[in-house]
Amino acid sequence: MKYQMLVARGKSLAHFMAKHKNLAFLMIAIIAFYVPCMSRAEILQIEKNGAEEESLMIRKSMVKISPVTKVDLYREFQSEISRLRLTRREFDICSNLLDETSCWTMYGDIISKDRPLLPGTLLQLSHDPIYIVLTYKIISKNIIGQRKIGESALVVCLNPKVPEGYFSLINKFKPILQRVPNTTDPTNAVEALKAQACKAFANFNQPKLEKI
């Protein structure tokens, strides 16, 4: 019975293909074109420890791209300043009501921080976004072809046209440099893949224009 059903389905498919030859050829052409393009353009891959059988990869479909502009940074900076001022006022009120030791326990970590500074010329920069954050998952393939999807991670891709001094100042109130790919060790496959991801997915040629 099952054999007869399979034969019947095969005949129906053959009849459909014969009746719609142009459509069938179009479908085959699309599949033939799409598959190799997907493997080339949508996947980054790097060998692990020089072994062709072991590799790490990132699929573009699993990458979230988040540009950070100078306006975004300015707003975050203003928000941080407002938070510090509010905390300082709360500390002063607390000091009038309780002993200073208790108030330092509650607010000391925040009010003892240095006030964050941003370059005064940040908003005048013609380069935007300042950096791009990529959130992704690395897929690892072992020597027997098994694949495993890792946990979410992120990498910060710096705009190469922005002077380095800006990043050092930004890093003081928003630690981004520790998330930049570390290319000092050429044998580190994960860091090498991060650097490739920045080159492939971080587009600094299409700025997101904003006004304050």
Side-chain angles (χ1 to χ4, degrees):
M1 185 65 178
K2 290 183 179 180
Y3 174 77
Q4 291 176 344
M5 290 175 65
L6 290 173
V7 171
R9 288 179 181 175
K11 288 182 178 180
S12 298
L13 179 60
H15 177 72
F16 176 84
M17 297 286 281
K19 187 176 181 180
H20 303 281
K21 289 182 179 179
N22 293 337
L23 179 59
F25 286 133
L26 178 61
M27 290 172 63
I28 293 172
I30 290 174
I31 294 172
F33 175 79
Y34 178 76
V35 171
C37 285
M38 176 70 178
S39 61
R40 288 195 300 268
E42 303 295 320
I43 299 177
L44 289 179
Q45 183 167 327
I46 192 167
E47 294 175 3
K48 186 177 180 182
N49 299 326
E52 294 183 2
E53 296 84 2
E54 295 185 83
S55 61
L56 303 174
M57 63 189 76
I58 297 176
R59 289 183 179 273
K60 185 178 181 181
S61 60
M62 299 175 69
V63 177
K64 179 183 177 183
I65 303 173
S66 305
V68 178
T69 68
K70 55 192 176 186
V71 173
D72 294 329
L73 287 172
Y74 181 80
R75 287 171 178 164
E76 284 191 53
F77 172 75
Q78 293 298 327
S79 177
E80 179 67 11
I81 291 296
S82 297
R83 187 175 76 92
L84 289 175
R85 287 174 178 168
L86 177 60
T87 304
R88 166 56 73 176
R89 286 199 296 269
E90 290 177 352
F91 174 78
D92 291 339
I93 293 172
C94 177
S95 298
N96 292 328
L97 299 175
L98 304 174
D99 62 282
E100 192 168 322
T101 302
S102 299
C103 297
W104 268 102
T105 301
M106 292 186 285
Y107 301 103
D109 289 343
I110 298 177
I111 65 173
S112 60
K113 288 182 179 179
D114 293 333
R115 175 175 171 152
L117 296 174
L118 273 186
T121 55
L122 176 69
L123 295 177
Q124 300 173 16
L125 282 176
S126 58
H127 309 303
D128 232 358
I130 303 300
Y131 60 89
I132 293 176
V133 178
L134 303 180
T135 307
Y136 61 92
K137 291 184 179 181
I138 289 182
I139 303 171
S140 58
K141 187 186 74 170
N142 60 21
I143 58 175
I144 61 174
Q146 293 178 330
R147 298 188 180 189
K148 180 181 179 181
I149 300 178
E151 297 182 356
S152 293
L154 64 85
V155 61
V156 171
C157 309
L158 305 179
N159 189 332
K161 295 181 180 179
V162 174
E164 291 184 7
Y166 283 88
F167 297 121
S168 298
L169 289 173
I170 292 169
N171 192 68
K172 289 183 178 180
F173 87 96
K174 190 172 184 182
I176 59 173
L177 296 183
Q178 63 189 32
R179 297 289 190 174
V180 174
N182 181 4
T183 56
T184 57
D185 182 5
T187 64
N188 191 321
V190 173
E191 294 299 321
L193 191 61
K194 289 180 184 179
Q196 283 191 17
C198 283
K199 291 180 180 179
F201 306 135
N203 186 357
F204 293 103
N205 298 319
Q206 296 180 354
K208 184 175 116 181
L209 300 177
E210 289 184 274
K211 292 182 180 180
I212 297 178

